[in-house]
Amino acid sequence: MRRTSFGTWPCSIARTADILGDAWTLLVLREVFYGESRFDGFINTLGIARNTLTDRLRRLEAEGLLHRRVYQSDPVRHEYLPTDKGRDFFGVLAAINAWGDRWLAGDGGAPVVLHHRPCGHDTEARVVCSACGKVLHQRDMSARTGPGYPPRLLDDPVVRERFAPGRTLGDGPAEQA
């Protein structure tokens, strides 16, 4: 069965989900950040099927998150290393990790702790406002269409409602008068 492509949707979340596709992709990227770069290493650490791993690595390479480099010539073997675009994804994984630690860790606590080497402290990711530095909370947020939103959709009543000025993210539909 063919999956729906979200690559052209006017939404950065949908476009990102289109690249990620499934949990295996996130786990491959996690392993890259943990230092794994070789096909057999991914197989050993993840227990992923070879064809599934091949598909995920090809997709991450095609999307520019990883680049493939030969590390052995006879037989030819490649390692998969993060690009700038791939390294920039670390914050997303760190935020997912922080959410998982808060809501899914259980009584045993966090399974992995991130350590910020420059300051010497253990840390967790926080999403903060790029202007004031305060932690972002859904209750404080609204959204508006940006310059890349398709003009042909701006007159749609659902779009106007979704991006109405002052509407808090997460609010249900406005009540009908």
Side-chain angles (χ1 to χ4, degrees), residues 41-163:
F42 292 121
I43 296 288
N44 291 334
T45 59
L46 294 173
I48 186 173
R50 296 179 84 75
N51 62 325
T52 302
L53 178 59
T54 297
D55 178 62
R56 298 321 179 269
L57 290 171
R58 282 183 182 154
R59 177 70 185 222
L60 289 167
E61 185 180 11
E63 292 293 340
L65 278 83
L66 298 179
H67 76 274
R68 189 169 49 149
R69 181 173 73 185
V70 174
Y71 72 87
Q72 179 179 310
S73 58
D74 191 21
V76 174
R77 295 193 190 273
H78 298 93
E79 61 184 346
Y80 297 86
L81 303 168
T83 62
D84 288 342
K85 185 177 180 180
R87 282 186 290 278
D88 201 37
F89 194 76
F90 172 75
V92 177
L93 286 179
I96 291 170
N97 189 71
W99 184 88
D101 286 349
R102 179 172 181 185
W103 296 104
L104 306 173
D107 295 337
V112 174
V113 176
L114 297 177
H115 184 80
H116 190 227
R117 291 187 336 214
C119 76
H121 290 91
D122 292 344
T123 190
E124 65 182 31
R126 297 210 176 175
V127 180
V128 299
C129 176
S130 62
C132 72
K134 291 188 178 182
V135 173
L136 298 183
H137 297 282
Q138 167 263 319
R139 67 182 176 268
D140 299 328
M141 303 301 297
S142 63
R144 63 180 176 79
T145 58
Y149 202 86
R152 65 179 166 54
L153 299 177
L154 294 174
D155 289 332
D156 183 314
V158 172
V159 171
R160 285 198 313 267
E161 173 68 23
R162 176 174 288 158
F163 299 113

Side-chain angles (χ1 to χ4, degrees), residues 3-19 148-150 152-153 162-163:
R3 72 177 183 87
T4 300
S5 174
F6 304 115
T8 60
W9 283 29
C11 172
S12 294
I13 295 170
R15 291 173 183 170
T16 302
D18 193 62
I19 292 171
Y149 202 86
R152 65 179 166 54
L153 299 177
R162 176 174 288 158
F163 299 113

